[in-house]
PDB file of all heavy atoms in Angstrom:
ATOM      1  N   GLN A  57     120.870 139.461 108.782  1.00  0.00           N
ATOM      2  CA  GLN A  57     120.235 139.053 110.028  1.00  0.00           C
ATOM      3  C   GLN A  57     118.741 138.862 109.929  1.00  0.00           C
ATOM      4  O   GLN A  57     118.308 137.732 110.426  1.00  0.00           O
ATOM      5  CB  GLN A  57     120.544 140.073 111.187  1.00  0.00           C
ATOM      6  CG  GLN A  57     122.059 140.196 111.539  1.00  0.00           C
ATOM      7  CD  GLN A  57     122.181 141.145 112.641  1.00  0.00           C
ATOM      8  OE1 GLN A  57     121.231 141.945 113.116  1.00  0.00           O
ATOM      9  NE2 GLN A  57     123.369 141.127 113.173  1.00  0.00           N
ATOM     10  N   HIS A  58     118.092 139.669 109.237  1.00  0.00           N
ATOM     11  CA  HIS A  58     116.623 139.455 109.111  1.00  0.00           C
ATOM     12  C   HIS A  58     116.300 138.159 108.354  1.00  0.00           C
ATOM     13  O   HIS A  58     115.431 137.458 108.585  1.00  0.00           O
ATOM     14  CB  HIS A  58     116.043 140.606 108.286  1.00  0.00           C
ATOM     15  CG  HIS A  58     114.476 140.674 108.303  1.00  0.00           C
ATOM     16  ND1 HIS A  58     113.762 140.157 107.257  1.00  0.00           N
ATOM     17  CD2 HIS A  58     113.617 141.170 109.335  1.00  0.00           C
ATOM     18  CE1 HIS A  58     112.345 140.360 107.677  1.00  0.00           C
ATOM     19  NE2 HIS A  58     112.351 140.958 108.757  1.00  0.00           N
ATOM     20  N   GLN A  59     117.224 137.879 107.284  1.00  0.00           N
ATOM     21  CA  GLN A  59     116.984 136.636 106.476  1.00  0.00           C
ATOM     22  C   GLN A  59     117.218 135.509 107.315  1.00  0.00           C
ATOM     23  O   GLN A  59     116.479 134.458 107.146  1.00  0.00           O
ATOM     24  CB  GLN A  59     117.805 136.656 105.162  1.00  0.00           C
ATOM     25  CG  GLN A  59     117.636 135.610 104.269  1.00  0.00           C
ATOM     26  CD  GLN A  59     116.280 135.561 103.821  1.00  0.00           C
ATOM     27  OE1 GLN A  59     115.726 136.454 103.251  1.00  0.00           O
ATOM     28  NE2 GLN A  59     115.558 134.369 103.919  1.00  0.00           N
ATOM     29  N   ALA A  60     118.220 135.575 108.199  1.00  0.00           N
ATOM     30  CA  ALA A  60     118.494 134.307 108.987  1.00  0.00           C
ATOM     31  C   ALA A  60     117.421 134.172 109.997  1.00  0.00           C
ATOM     32  O   ALA A  60     117.025 133.024 110.221  1.00  0.00           O
ATOM     33  CB  ALA A  60     119.754 134.723 109.748  1.00  0.00           C
ATOM     34  N   PHE A  61     116.729 135.215 110.531  1.00  0.00           N
ATOM     35  CA  PHE A  61     115.505 135.034 111.222  1.00  0.00           C
ATOM     36  C   PHE A  61     114.442 134.474 110.505  1.00  0.00           C
ATOM     37  O   PHE A  61     113.814 133.605 110.968  1.00  0.00           O
ATOM     38  CB  PHE A  61     115.172 136.475 111.670  1.00  0.00           C
ATOM     39  CG  PHE A  61     113.816 136.765 112.375  1.00  0.00           C
ATOM     40  CD1 PHE A  61     113.384 135.819 113.331  1.00  0.00           C
ATOM     41  CD2 PHE A  61     113.124 137.898 112.123  1.00  0.00           C
ATOM     42  CE1 PHE A  61     112.132 135.912 113.964  1.00  0.00           C
ATOM     43  CE2 PHE A  61     111.936 138.061 112.744  1.00  0.00           C
ATOM     44  CZ  PHE A  61     111.407 137.227 113.664  1.00  0.00           C
ATOM     45  N   VAL A  62     114.170 134.938 109.200  1.00  0.00           N
ATOM     46  CA  VAL A  62     113.207 134.282 108.426  1.00  0.00           C
ATOM     47  C   VAL A  62     113.449 132.873 108.165  1.00  0.00           C
ATOM     48  O   VAL A  62     112.424 131.989 108.150  1.00  0.00           O
ATOM     49  CB  VAL A  62     113.018 135.089 107.037  1.00  0.00           C
ATOM     50  CG1 VAL A  62     112.159 134.230 106.099  1.00  0.00           C
ATOM     51  CG2 VAL A  62     112.426 136.401 107.355  1.00  0.00           C
ATOM     52  N   ASN A  63     114.679 132.525 107.964  1.00  0.00           N
ATOM     53  CA  ASN A  63     114.983 131.138 107.628  1.00  0.00           C
ATOM     54  C   ASN A  63     114.673 130.188 108.914  1.00  0.00           C
ATOM     55  O   ASN A  63     114.187 129.041 108.765  1.00  0.00           O
ATOM     56  CB  ASN A  63     116.565 130.932 107.392  1.00  0.00           C
ATOM     57  CG  ASN A  63     116.942 131.620 106.068  1.00  0.00           C
ATOM     58  OD1 ASN A  63     116.149 131.847 105.302  1.00  0.00           O
ATOM     59  ND2 ASN A  63     118.254 131.870 105.994  1.00  0.00           N
ATOM     60  N   ILE A  64     114.949 130.785 110.111  1.00  0.00           N
ATOM     61  CA  ILE A  64     114.424 130.021 111.322  1.00  0.00           C
ATOM     62  C   ILE A  64     112.958 129.706 111.284  1.00  0.00           C
ATOM     63  O   ILE A  64     112.603 128.636 111.674  1.00  0.00           O
ATOM     64  CB  ILE A  64     114.907 130.745 112.560  1.00  0.00           C
ATOM     65  CG1 ILE A  64     116.529 130.613 112.612  1.00  0.00           C
ATOM     66  CG2 ILE A  64     114.321 130.036 113.768  1.00  0.00           C
ATOM     67  CD1 ILE A  64     117.111 129.460 112.875  1.00  0.00           C
ATOM     68  N   LEU A  65     112.240 130.810 111.037  1.00  0.00           N
ATOM     69  CA  LEU A  65     110.846 130.603 111.072  1.00  0.00           C
ATOM     70  C   LEU A  65     110.424 129.592 110.052  1.00  0.00           C
ATOM     71  O   LEU A  65     109.607 128.752 110.429  1.00  0.00           O
ATOM     72  CB  LEU A  65     110.142 132.029 110.712  1.00  0.00           C
ATOM     73  CG  LEU A  65     110.280 133.188 111.716  1.00  0.00           C
ATOM     74  CD1 LEU A  65     109.718 134.440 111.200  1.00  0.00           C
ATOM     75  CD2 LEU A  65     109.481 132.755 113.065  1.00  0.00           C
ATOM     76  N   GLU A  66     110.839 129.704 108.815  1.00  0.00           N
ATOM     77  CA  GLU A  66     110.560 128.698 107.876  1.00  0.00           C
ATOM     78  C   GLU A  66     110.978 127.146 108.124  1.00  0.00           C
ATOM     79  O   GLU A  66     110.170 126.307 107.898  1.00  0.00           O
ATOM     80  CB  GLU A  66     111.059 129.145 106.528  1.00  0.00           C
ATOM     81  CG  GLU A  66     110.467 130.468 105.953  1.00  0.00           C
ATOM     82  CD  GLU A  66     110.987 130.842 104.723  1.00  0.00           C
ATOM     83  OE1 GLU A  66     112.078 130.537 104.269  1.00  0.00           O
ATOM     84  OE2 GLU A  66     110.320 131.603 103.905  1.00  0.00           O
ATOM     85  N   GLU A  67     112.097 127.084 108.797  1.00  0.00           N
ATOM     86  CA  GLU A  67     112.546 125.813 109.234  1.00  0.00           C
ATOM     87  C   GLU A  67     111.583 125.251 110.304  1.00  0.00           C
ATOM     88  O   GLU A  67     111.515 123.925 110.555  1.00  0.00           O
ATOM     89  CB  GLU A  67     113.887 125.939 109.790  1.00  0.00           C
ATOM     90  CG  GLU A  67     115.110 126.028 108.716  1.00  0.00           C
ATOM     91  CD  GLU A  67     116.364 126.520 109.363  1.00  0.00           C
ATOM     92  OE1 GLU A  67     116.477 126.334 110.641  1.00  0.00           O
ATOM     93  OE2 GLU A  67     117.232 126.950 108.698  1.00  0.00           O
ATOM     94  N   ASN A  68     110.761 126.098 111.022  1.00  0.00           N
ATOM     95  CA  ASN A  68     109.838 125.672 111.994  1.00  0.00           C
ATOM     96  C   ASN A  68     108.514 125.639 111.441  1.00  0.00           C
ATOM     97  O   ASN A  68     107.429 125.879 112.258  1.00  0.00           O
ATOM     98  CB  ASN A  68     109.970 126.529 113.220  1.00  0.00           C
ATOM     99  CG  ASN A  68     111.210 126.255 113.999  1.00  0.00           C
ATOM    100  OD1 ASN A  68     111.037 125.303 114.903  1.00  0.00           O
ATOM    101  ND2 ASN A  68     112.371 126.818 113.768  1.00  0.00           N
ATOM    102  N   ASP A  69     108.331 125.615 110.082  1.00  0.00           N
ATOM    103  CA  ASP A  69     107.049 125.423 109.369  1.00  0.00           C
ATOM    104  C   ASP A  69     106.192 126.756 109.427  1.00  0.00           C
ATOM    105  O   ASP A  69     104.900 126.496 109.607  1.00  0.00           O
ATOM    106  CB  ASP A  69     106.376 124.094 109.913  1.00  0.00           C
ATOM    107  CG  ASP A  69     107.133 122.897 109.665  1.00  0.00           C
ATOM    108  OD1 ASP A  69     107.745 122.790 108.622  1.00  0.00           O
ATOM    109  OD2 ASP A  69     107.263 121.998 110.615  1.00  0.00           O
ATOM    110  N   VAL A  70     106.769 127.766 109.586  1.00  0.00           N
ATOM    111  CA  VAL A  70     105.940 129.095 109.658  1.00  0.00           C
ATOM    112  C   VAL A  70     105.967 129.612 108.176  1.00  0.00           C
ATOM    113  O   VAL A  70     106.880 129.714 107.536  1.00  0.00           O
ATOM    114  CB  VAL A  70     106.543 130.058 110.514  1.00  0.00           C
ATOM    115  CG1 VAL A  70     105.668 131.418 110.499  1.00  0.00           C
ATOM    116  CG2 VAL A  70     106.634 129.383 112.047  1.00  0.00           C
ATOM    117  N   GLU A  71     104.725 129.940 107.656  1.00  0.00           N
ATOM    118  CA  GLU A  71     104.675 130.559 106.330  1.00  0.00           C
ATOM    119  C   GLU A  71     105.011 132.082 106.583  1.00  0.00           C
ATOM    120  O   GLU A  71     104.324 132.820 107.301  1.00  0.00           O
ATOM    121  CB  GLU A  71     103.317 130.433 105.794  1.00  0.00           C
ATOM    122  CG  GLU A  71     103.107 131.134 104.380  1.00  0.00           C
ATOM    123  CD  GLU A  71     101.676 131.151 103.933  1.00  0.00           C
ATOM    124  OE1 GLU A  71     100.721 130.535 104.531  1.00  0.00           O
ATOM    125  OE2 GLU A  71     101.393 131.895 102.880  1.00  0.00           O
ATOM    126  N   VAL A  72     105.947 132.512 105.872  1.00  0.00           N
ATOM    127  CA  VAL A  72     106.454 133.879 106.000  1.00  0.00           C
ATOM    128  C   VAL A  72     105.864 134.813 104.806  1.00  0.00           C
ATOM    129  O   VAL A  72     106.256 134.385 103.713  1.00  0.00           O
ATOM    130  CB  VAL A  72     107.837 134.070 106.171  1.00  0.00           C
ATOM    131  CG1 VAL A  72     108.336 135.526 106.393  1.00  0.00           C
ATOM    132  CG2 VAL A  72     108.347 133.209 107.409  1.00  0.00           C
ATOM    133  N   ILE A  73     105.179 135.815 105.122  1.00  0.00           N
ATOM    134  CA  ILE A  73     104.677 136.793 104.090  1.00  0.00           C
ATOM    135  C   ILE A  73     105.425 138.030 104.092  1.00  0.00           C
ATOM    136  O   ILE A  73     105.605 138.549 105.300  1.00  0.00           O
ATOM    137  CB  ILE A  73     103.062 136.942 104.268  1.00  0.00           C
ATOM    138  CG1 ILE A  73     102.342 135.598 104.160  1.00  0.00           C
ATOM    139  CG2 ILE A  73     102.643 138.028 103.365  1.00  0.00           C
ATOM    140  CD1 ILE A  73     101.046 135.631 105.022  1.00  0.00           C
ATOM    141  N   PHE A  74     105.951 138.503 103.052  1.00  0.00           N
ATOM    142  CA  PHE A  74     106.704 139.748 102.944  1.00  0.00           C
ATOM    143  C   PHE A  74     105.912 140.917 102.422  1.00  0.00           C
ATOM    144  O   PHE A  74     105.287 140.739 101.247  1.00  0.00           O
ATOM    145  CB  PHE A  74     107.939 139.560 101.968  1.00  0.00           C
ATOM    146  CG  PHE A  74     109.120 138.662 102.512  1.00  0.00           C
ATOM    147  CD1 PHE A  74     108.991 137.199 102.268  1.00  0.00           C
ATOM    148  CD2 PHE A  74     110.116 139.051 103.368  1.00  0.00           C
ATOM    149  CE1 PHE A  74     109.957 136.410 102.835  1.00  0.00           C
ATOM    150  CE2 PHE A  74     111.051 138.239 103.873  1.00  0.00           C
ATOM    151  CZ  PHE A  74     110.903 136.836 103.571  1.00  0.00           C
ATOM    152  N   LEU A  75     105.710 141.887 103.271  1.00  0.00           N
ATOM    153  CA  LEU A  75     105.160 143.124 102.648  1.00  0.00           C
ATOM    154  C   LEU A  75     106.228 143.781 101.840  1.00  0.00           C
ATOM    155  O   LEU A  75     107.341 143.770 102.272  1.00  0.00           O
ATOM    156  CB  LEU A  75     104.732 144.150 103.829  1.00  0.00           C
ATOM    157  CG  LEU A  75     103.532 143.655 104.631  1.00  0.00           C
ATOM    158  CD1 LEU A  75     103.214 144.751 105.701  1.00  0.00           C
ATOM    159  CD2 LEU A  75     102.282 143.476 103.729  1.00  0.00           C
ATOM    160  N   PRO A  76     105.770 144.526 100.816  1.00  0.00           N
ATOM    161  CA  PRO A  76     106.737 145.310  99.939  1.00  0.00           C
ATOM    162  C   PRO A  76     107.251 146.507 100.841  1.00  0.00           C
ATOM    163  O   PRO A  76     106.525 147.103 101.530  1.00  0.00           O
ATOM    164  CB  PRO A  76     105.854 145.925  98.882  1.00  0.00           C
ATOM    165  CG  PRO A  76     104.528 145.731  99.321  1.00  0.00           C
ATOM    166  CD  PRO A  76     104.406 144.613 100.178  1.00  0.00           C
ATOM    167  N   TYR A  77     108.643 146.742 100.713  1.00  0.00           N
ATOM    168  CA  TYR A  77     109.229 147.851 101.465  1.00  0.00           C
ATOM    169  C   TYR A  77     109.223 149.119 100.525  1.00  0.00           C
ATOM    170  O   TYR A  77     109.280 149.001  99.308  1.00  0.00           O
ATOM    171  CB  TYR A  77     110.586 147.530 101.926  1.00  0.00           C
ATOM    172  CG  TYR A  77     111.490 146.782 100.790  1.00  0.00           C
ATOM    173  CD1 TYR A  77     112.055 147.513  99.802  1.00  0.00           C
ATOM    174  CD2 TYR A  77     111.653 145.350 100.956  1.00  0.00           C
ATOM    175  CE1 TYR A  77     112.866 146.932  98.820  1.00  0.00           C
ATOM    176  CE2 TYR A  77     112.495 144.721  99.956  1.00  0.00           C
ATOM    177  CZ  TYR A  77     113.050 145.561  99.019  1.00  0.00           C
ATOM    178  OH  TYR A  77     113.801 144.920  98.015  1.00  0.00           O
ATOM    179  N   HIS A  78     109.261 150.209 101.311  1.00  0.00           N
ATOM    180  CA  HIS A  78     109.192 151.544 100.638  1.00  0.00           C
ATOM    181  C   HIS A  78     110.282 152.471 101.334  1.00  0.00           C
ATOM    182  O   HIS A  78     110.417 152.415 102.488  1.00  0.00           O
ATOM    183  CB  HIS A  78     107.834 152.076 100.742  1.00  0.00           C
ATOM    184  CG  HIS A  78     106.811 151.287 100.019  1.00  0.00           C
ATOM    185  ND1 HIS A  78     106.483 151.500  98.725  1.00  0.00           N
ATOM    186  CD2 HIS A  78     105.989 150.347 100.439  1.00  0.00           C
ATOM    187  CE1 HIS A  78     105.581 150.693  98.346  1.00  0.00           C
ATOM    188  NE2 HIS A  78     105.256 149.987  99.370  1.00  0.00           N
ATOM    189  N   LYS A  79     110.877 153.258 100.528  1.00  0.00           N
ATOM    190  CA  LYS A  79     112.059 153.942 101.044  1.00  0.00           C
ATOM    191  C   LYS A  79     111.506 155.095 102.073  1.00  0.00           C
ATOM    192  O   LYS A  79     112.206 155.456 102.986  1.00  0.00           O
ATOM    193  CB  LYS A  79     112.647 154.780  99.931  1.00  0.00           C
ATOM    194  CG  LYS A  79     114.059 155.412 100.262  1.00  0.00           C
ATOM    195  CD  LYS A  79     114.778 155.900  99.010  1.00  0.00           C
ATOM    196  CE  LYS A  79     116.238 156.424  99.451  1.00  0.00           C
ATOM    197  NZ  LYS A  79     116.984 156.815  98.183  1.00  0.00           N
TER     198      LYS A  79
END
Side-chain angles (χ1 to χ4, degrees):
Q57 289 180 351
H58 190 268
Q59 186 59 54
F61 170 39
V62 167
N63 292 345
I64 291 291
L65 291 173
E66 292 179 335
E67 287 166 15
N68 283 275
D69 301 318
V70 180
E71 178 189 353
V72 180
I73 298 152
F74 291 88
L75 287 183
Y77 46 77
H78 298 269
K79 193 170 186 178

